Amino acid sequence: MNALLLISALAFAQAVPHDHEHLHSEQIGRVSFQTSCSPQAHAIFERGVTWLHSFEYEQAEAAFNEAAAADPSCSIAHWGAAMSLYHPLWAPPTKAEMERGRAAVAAAQATPAKTEREREYVAAIASFYRDSDKPDHKTRALAYNAAMAEVHRHYPADREAAVFYALSQIAAGTLDNDPNFTREKDAAAILNAVLKEEPDHPGVAHYLIHGFDYPPLAELAVPAAKRYASIAPDSPHAQHMPSHIFTRLGMWDDSIASNLKSEAAARELMKKKGFVGASREELHAMDYLAYAYLQTDQEAKAQQVLGDLSRMQKVDEPIFSVAYAATAIPVRILLENRRWKEAAALQIPDNVLKLSPLENFRWGQAHIHFGRAIGAARSGDVALARDEVGKLKAIEDTLVVPSGTYDWRKQVSIERQIAGAWTTYADGKKDEALSAMRAAADLDDATEKHPVTPGNILPAREQLGEMLIEAGRPADALVEYEASLKRAPRRLAGLYGAAHSAKLAGDTAKASRYYAELADVTKGGEGKRAEVVEAREAAKLAAR
């Protein structure tokens, strides 16, 4: 894997910025996709492909439809429209998206492409939409993956076929749950080969980030993360995506800078569209921003994010990322700051709850009950905590997880188990509570987070460490905190917990090291939180 890192680092370091001269002066990167369309339609089509590689699906679909209108014989444009409705790393298409995707495939097949290569592209996406009312999402996604493998094999010099196949490998990897990341590594090798020839290709940088968005691999994507935003500055998603890697590695300042740019790009895009409201990308960036501000002791800025959220009335696309941000941000801020009574009484404004249909995303509702349950348990209201845990269980029991989709039910189960463990602890059953929390931590460790979130609202193993501290077992707590920090490095609560437990356990060397790291992480913060004050005092004493 070090070879992969070296290839990516060298290629991105040698990349030279270009003017990105595209239609409408959009700065979204460069692609080269040969077609048999008219010159006018071809230029519009390539713009659609470029948007597609940054997951700006609405703009991509519009461009592809424009290309089809400019040249009715441009069959591959309908392929692009169908591709814009398949979001391989997000969620299965909705019923409406599925119908539009099938219609786009039918339009492409009704006017067969002039080249065999283009016909194979159409056939590949057709394999995803074929009989979509029967096979499950996983079956269709793997069928598309196999079809793109054949396109890539038939046309090895076609770099777009390589990039789209690599993306399908990453998507298939999320379905495999392979601890060795075999498909992701294969995708990285393909993408690095394209990178040498097309350093301004937005999909290459983007998909390297997604392929390495796992704790053991994240460091390998740093060069791509630092390059992607400059490749496509007009894409809000391109501005945001680097923060996936920065968050994985605890590079909070980089994450904040990335998401501020994403927010600005999203707002500018809404102005261009004439939409008076928020963008889904803006909310996605806001969740990552709030998370990073909380880790760096920038409470006022986290509250500003919450204030911006509370004033929102509507959003351009009320998809799952909107539901996640709208429910996670308020809960994060209260729980990370240990404001237990406020969390127990949490009420999210109706306008915020209406930004996305939570009846379709019940795991978003679970966040709210999780916050209330933790707040109630930690403030001693066992009855309320039990009631909220019961509501979490009801959501968990009713969630249906289609094959090949992310297991949100398991995430709700983890939240329910964490909240249940703290409720049991508050009820005086310490041994039972610790056993329950350890089970939650083991499940959490075995479960990968969804890309929509910067991290769990509360990592279960970090919570196990905190419970062990409260139970008077600091040496055991230190073990759990250190394990948690491997998966979620440089978290404020994790660093403080490790430092404090090491201090209580008499391990002065580790205590000093973790206090120093916490002081460094929060050096630009407000310095009001007790944990930060303690870390700074310890760092000063160590420096004497």
Side-chain angles (χ1 to χ4, degrees):
M1 293 300 291
N2 288 337
L4 286 177
L5 175 59
L6 180 60
I7 292 170
S8 296
L10 290 174
F12 279 114
Q14 293 165 359
V16 179
H18 294 280
D19 292 333
H20 306 293
E21 294 176 358
H22 287 285
L23 294 177
H24 311 307
S25 300
E26 292 162 335
Q27 298 183 70
I28 50 178
R30 289 177 179 270
V31 301
S32 178
F33 194 122
Q34 183 179 354
T35 73
S36 58
C37 305
S38 69
Q40 179 188 6
H42 175 80
I44 301 169
F45 172 86
E46 282 199 337
R47 176 158 53 91
V49 174
T50 312
W51 280 121
L52 185 62
H53 281 309
S54 283
F55 293 176
E56 302 289 3
Y57 293 117
E58 183 181 2
Q59 294 92 310
E61 186 182 5
F64 290 128
N65 289 336
E66 184 182 347
D71 179 2
S73 70
C74 184
S75 178
I76 193 71
H78 298 296
W79 162 88
M83 288 289 292
S84 302
L85 295 158
Y86 169 37
H87 311 150
L89 299 182
W90 286 8
T94 63
K95 183 178 179 181
E97 289 169 338
M98 191 68 73
E99 290 174 355
R100 282 160 53 203
R102 285 200 303 265
V105 169
Q109 293 171 332
T111 307
K114 300 171 186 176
T115 69
E116 179 62 26
R117 169 180 158 275
E118 291 177 44
R119 289 193 290 273
E120 289 195 35
Y121 270 97
V122 172
I125 191 58
S127 69
F128 175 78
Y129 288 103
R130 185 177 300 116
D131 296 326
S132 56
D133 58 330
K134 296 176 183 176
D136 58 53
H137 178 73
K138 180 176 182 178
T139 299
R140 289 184 284 105
L142 292 178
Y144 171 72
N145 171 244
M148 279 310 303
E150 288 301 295
V151 177
H152 179 46
R153 185 174 67 84
H154 292 166
Y155 305 97
D158 182 351
R159 291 195 285 270
E160 285 304 300
V163 173
F164 280 112
Y165 171 57
L167 174 59
S168 77
Q169 278 286 75
I170 294 168
T174 66
L175 304 176
D176 288 344
N177 198 26
D178 174 14
N180 295 316
F181 305 104
T182 304
R183 288 185 187 267
E184 288 85 351
K185 293 174 184 178
D186 177 59
I190 294 168
L191 293 168
N192 276 313
V194 177
L195 175 62
K196 296 177 183 178
E197 304 297 328
E198 296 191 46
D200 273 354
H201 194 298
V204 172
H206 187 186
Y207 305 151
L208 280 169
I209 292 171
H210 273 296
F212 289 150
D213 190 10
Y214 301 95
L217 307 179
E219 187 179 353
L220 300 174
V222 171
K226 291 189 172 180
R227 175 72 179 133
Y228 183 30
S230 65
I231 290 174
D234 284 348
S235 165
H237 192 69
Q239 299 310 300
H240 159 76
M241 269 307 298
S243 69
H244 280 234
I245 299 304
F246 299 148
T247 299
R248 286 287 197 183
L249 299 173
M251 299 168 64
W252 306 121
D253 291 342
D254 292 286
S255 180
I256 290 167
S258 177
N259 285 294
L260 287 173
K261 290 177 183 177
S262 181
E263 267 194 325
R267 290 169 181 167
E268 183 62 28
L269 190 57
M270 292 303 97
K271 288 181 182 178
K272 290 180 180 178
K273 289 173 58 176
F275 180 78
V276 182
S279 161
R280 60 170 171 79
E281 282 294 343
E282 183 179 357
L283 274 98
H284 188 42
M286 288 166 65
D287 188 26
Y288 275 71
L289 264 178
Y291 188 78
Y293 284 143
L294 289 168
Q295 308 320 312
T296 52
D297 186 36
Q298 298 186 70
E299 175 64 19
K301 290 183 178 179
Q303 288 294 334
Q304 183 178 338
V305 172
L306 182 60
D308 290 343
L309 173 64
S310 68
R311 289 186 290 273
M312 289 180 175
Q313 299 296 324
K314 59 181 178 178
V315 66
D316 62 336
E317 295 180 78
I319 64 173
F320 67 99
S321 58
V322 175
Y324 195 95
T327 53
I329 291 171
V331 178
R332 285 191 200 285
I333 289 174
L334 292 177
L335 296 188
E336 292 260 10
N337 282 289
R338 306 172 69 82
R339 288 153 56 183
W340 308 130
K341 290 187 177 180
E342 289 180 63
L346 173 65
Q347 296 292 330
I348 297 180
D350 286 345
N351 62 294
V352 175
L353 293 176
K354 292 177 181 177
L355 291 174
S356 186
L358 291 186
E359 63 271 16
N360 295 337
F361 309 112
R362 294 208 66 203
W363 40 260
Q365 294 175 336
H367 293 157
I368 302 168
H369 297 299
F370 176 65
R372 291 174 185 162
I374 294 294
R378 301 305 302 274
S379 58
D381 191 339
V382 176
L384 177 59
R386 283 191 186 128
D387 183 56
E388 294 296 335
V389 170
K391 292 175 181 177
L392 284 168
K393 184 66 166 65
I395 292 174
E396 180 185 346
D397 289 343
T398 57
L399 274 179
V400 176
V401 182
S403 176
T405 63
Y406 187 75
D407 194 348
W408 285 110
R409 188 173 187 273
K410 189 176 291 184
Q411 287 299 324
V412 175
S413 178
I414 293 168
E415 290 187 341
R416 190 256 307 162
Q417 291 181 50
I418 294 172
W422 276 119
T423 302
T424 301
Y425 192 89
D427 201 27
K429 303 171 184 176
K430 294 184 178 181
D431 290 342
E432 183 180 335
L434 284 165
S435 178
M437 190 68 83
R438 186 171 296 280
D442 290 343
L443 179 60
D444 197 9
D445 286 351
T447 306
E448 189 49 60
K449 79 174 185 67
H450 191 284
V452 75
T453 172
N456 294 352
I457 292 174
L458 290 176
R461 195 157 297 281
E462 186 179 279
Q463 291 299 291
L464 176 58
E466 181 154 349
M467 188 176 283
L468 285 164
I469 282 279
E470 294 211 2
R473 296 166 55 182
D476 293 334
L478 176 59
V479 172
E480 305 304 336
Y481 277 119
E482 290 187 316
S484 183
L485 285 168
K486 289 180 181 178
R487 283 177 59 85
R490 293 167 66 81
R491 268 184 53 82
L492 190 155
L495 289 172
Y496 175 75
H500 186 60
S501 57
K503 177 182 176 181
L504 293 177
D507 191 334
T508 56
K510 279 191 175 181
S512 179
R513 175 159 60 85
Y514 285 121
Y515 276 131
E517 188 173 1
L518 178 55
D520 180 65
V521 166
T522 59
K523 61 181 180 294
E526 297 167 13
K528 298 177 183 177
R529 288 183 60 165
E531 304 97 313
V532 176
V533 172
E534 185 176 331
R536 290 180 180 180
E537 288 299 320
K540 287 179 184 177
L541 287 173
R544 291 176 185 172

